[in-house]
Amino acid sequence: MINLFFKRMRAMYEYYPMQFWLLMAGMLVSRIGMGMIWPFLTIYLKTKLGLPLTTITALLTLDSIMSIIASFLAGTVTDRLGRKWVMVVSLSMMGIVYAMMSQANTLGAFAILMALRGLAVPMYQVGADAMIADLIPNDQRAEAYSLLRMVSNTGIAIGPAIGGFIAATSYGIAFMIAAVSLLLFSSLVGFGMRETIPAEAAAQARTGDGGYRTVFRDRFFLWFVGAFTMTGMASSLVFALLPLYTKENFQLPETQTGLLMTVNATMVVLFQVLVTRWTKQRRPLAMLTIGALFYAVGIGGMTAGSAFPHFAVSMAVMTIGELIVAPTSTSLASSLAPISMRGRYMSVFSLGWGISHGLGPVVGGLLNDFIAPIAIWYGGVAWALLSAGLYFILYRTRKTRENSASPQPV
């Protein structure tokens, strides 16, 4: 049994190029560091600055507005100049930002740092997604993206569990560990990876190919990004507001809220590849519809939560949706993109994530402050159901077009 396990692991290792595994190793290091900070950032800002939740979520919105701007820049630069150095700049900037956050003491300072973080994050994501599309054939990408998510979530599983204990003692130490891990990953990308952009793609991008106008004329792709944005809005409520919601309303300490994030990440580590092997054999939009419904059920369960086990079960149900949606949506986005425009298509796709994680928490904060804390989760259910409906409409539209294009029997 052990020999069979190692044979399978060796076969998987030989199946993908070495650069893919370097990307995986760097992702693990950086995600451990980032996972120690992000789940507790709202608590840190509330404690250090004494701000209302609406103001705190406005900082998250500022982060996302800057992400939107950076997404457009990253797509063009990634298509014209390559993937590698876009990733290096992004990771280095994120490391510096986290180091400076440990010393910031005012709302203005945090606003500047959140804006810089917003600029940095999408540049890395666009570059990494495009690099994987360059390295891995289309029929293998869903599983490749799922492996990357598995390693990413291994780091996120470890990060919050450690970060909850460190943050309870010193947020400054947690910030510095995150900074060092990101700078180490930046060095790995800079010195250990090669550029992957196809030569013909770079030449086409530099000579002009319609720019973003081509992307924004692709109505099917834009509706797909819109549905994905709604799913992201539902997800953002959980990851941005659940730690503060459970602490303020049910007195759950950071150690337990960190473990809630670990439930999510552990499930991704254990089941992502298995789920993706099942979903990649089926129609992507049908799978996305099912995944969004799992989001709705899981987030709806938060309304009945009052103790750690309740929230852990709801998180587990929502994570099933994430296991389906995350790699399926990324693989579908990359398959819809022409080779010379992968960076721009992936940047618009990541734009949906940026919009959702900016708009979602601030609306959740308004629901909390002006209606009731529990209204956060009713808003999440509504967004998840809307996204499921839109995925289903796109599924039916595409299936109808495929049937009409097929030869008719005579």
Side-chain angles (χ1 to χ4, degrees):
M1 189 64 130
I2 296 176
N3 287 338
L4 179 61
F5 171 78
F6 281 110
K7 284 182 180 180
R8 287 181 176 177
M9 294 304 294
R10 182 178 181 82
M12 181 180 291
Y13 175 78
E14 294 174 349
Y15 191 67
Y16 294 102
M18 176 58 70
Q19 183 147 321
F20 175 75
W21 296 113
L22 288 174
L23 192 62
M24 296 262 281
M27 181 71 76
L28 176 63
V29 173
S30 67
R31 286 297 188 258
I32 290 174
M34 293 177 66
M36 292 174 60
I37 294 296
W38 193 250
F40 311 109
L41 189 58
T42 53
I43 298 174
Y44 179 71
L45 291 171
K46 180 82 171 179
T47 303
K48 192 173 185 69
L49 302 180
L51 299 172
L53 186 57
T54 303
T55 303
I56 293 172
T57 53
L59 288 174
L60 302 181
T61 300
L62 174 62
D63 176 288
S64 295
I65 290 171
M66 301 308 292
S67 292
I68 292 169
I69 296 171
S71 292
F72 284 105
L73 296 174
T76 301
V77 173
T78 299
D79 280 334
R80 293 186 176 181
L81 302 180
R83 324 321 191 184
K84 174 178 171 177
W85 293 108
V86 170
M87 295 167 64
V88 170
V89 170
S90 172
L91 292 164
S92 299
M93 188 184 299
M94 281 192 283
I96 293 169
V97 164
Y98 278 123
M100 295 179 69
M101 277 185 176
S102 68
Q103 305 300 316
N105 294 303
T106 66
L107 176 60
F110 269 103
I112 293 171
L113 292 172
M114 291 293 284
L116 291 173
R117 182 190 177 280
L119 284 173
V121 171
M123 290 195 294
Y124 166 74
Q125 195 62 55
V126 170
D129 287 342
M131 181 177 281
I132 290 174
D134 295 337
L135 290 168
I136 309 298
N138 185 47
D139 61 345
Q140 300 172 18
R141 275 184 212 148
E143 195 160 347
Y145 285 123
S146 73
L147 284 169
L148 195 67
R149 288 197 72 248
M150 183 184 73
V151 167
S152 173
N153 280 271
T154 300
I156 294 173
I158 297 170
I162 298 173
F165 290 99
I166 295 177
T169 303
S170 171
Y171 274 94
I173 294 173
F175 276 117
M176 293 308 299
I177 293 175
V180 170
S181 67
L182 287 162
L183 291 171
L184 285 174
F185 188 15
S186 174
S187 300
L188 174 65
V189 175
F191 296 105
M193 296 188 185
R194 62 178 176 83
E195 181 53 67
T196 61
I197 184 172
E200 66 275 16
Q204 289 178 35
R206 285 193 292 268
T207 56
D209 51 12
Y212 278 102
R213 286 177 296 176
T214 302
V215 183
F216 289 116
R217 287 172 182 166
D218 190 338
R219 293 185 178 181
F220 183 89
F221 180 75
L222 292 181
W223 279 110
F224 158 64
V225 171
F228 177 72
T229 301
M230 293 179 192
T231 313
M233 288 174 69
S235 172
S236 69
L237 296 178
V238 176
F239 292 103
L241 300 181
L242 184 61
L244 187 59
Y245 174 83
T246 55
K247 183 178 178 67
E248 289 203 333
N249 295 285
F250 304 105
Q251 292 72 54
L252 267 67
E254 285 92 334
T255 52
Q256 290 190 15
T257 55
L259 290 174
L260 286 175
M261 303 302 157
T262 302
V263 168
N264 168 267
T266 302
M267 286 184 64
V268 173
V269 172
L270 295 177
F271 304 118
Q272 182 65 84
V273 172
L274 293 175
V275 171
T276 302
R277 285 178 178 171
W278 182 78
T279 58
K280 75 176 185 178
Q281 304 298 329
R282 291 159 176 82
R283 291 177 177 268
L285 288 164
M287 293 297 98
L288 290 172
T289 303
I290 294 170
L293 291 174
F294 271 104
Y295 268 101
V297 174
I299 295 172
M302 302 289 182
T303 62
S306 61
F308 176 81
H310 307 151
F311 293 110
V313 170
S314 295
M315 176 68 83
V317 174
M318 192 204 77
T319 302
I320 296 173
E322 182 184 335
L323 292 171
I324 296 169
V325 169
T328 304
S329 59
T330 308
S331 179
L332 178 59
S334 68
S335 69
L336 293 172
I339 293 176
S340 64
M341 300 192 70
R342 275 178 182 157
R344 276 160 283 190
Y345 265 74
M346 297 312 292
S347 76
V348 173
F349 174 70
S350 69
L351 182 68
W353 193 252
I355 291 172
S356 67
H357 280 63
L359 186 58
V362 75
V363 175
L366 292 170
L367 291 171
N368 176 87
D369 292 349
F370 293 101
I371 300 178
I374 200 171
I376 295 170
W377 313 121
Y378 290 122
V381 171
W383 287 323
L385 291 175
L386 284 171
S387 69
L390 188 50
Y391 286 134
F392 183 73
I393 291 170
L394 291 172
Y395 163 73
R396 295 295 301 173
T397 300
R398 195 172 200 187
K399 190 174 182 180
T400 299
R401 288 178 181 174
E402 289 173 355
N403 291 339
S404 64
S406 301
Q408 300 297 316
V410 293

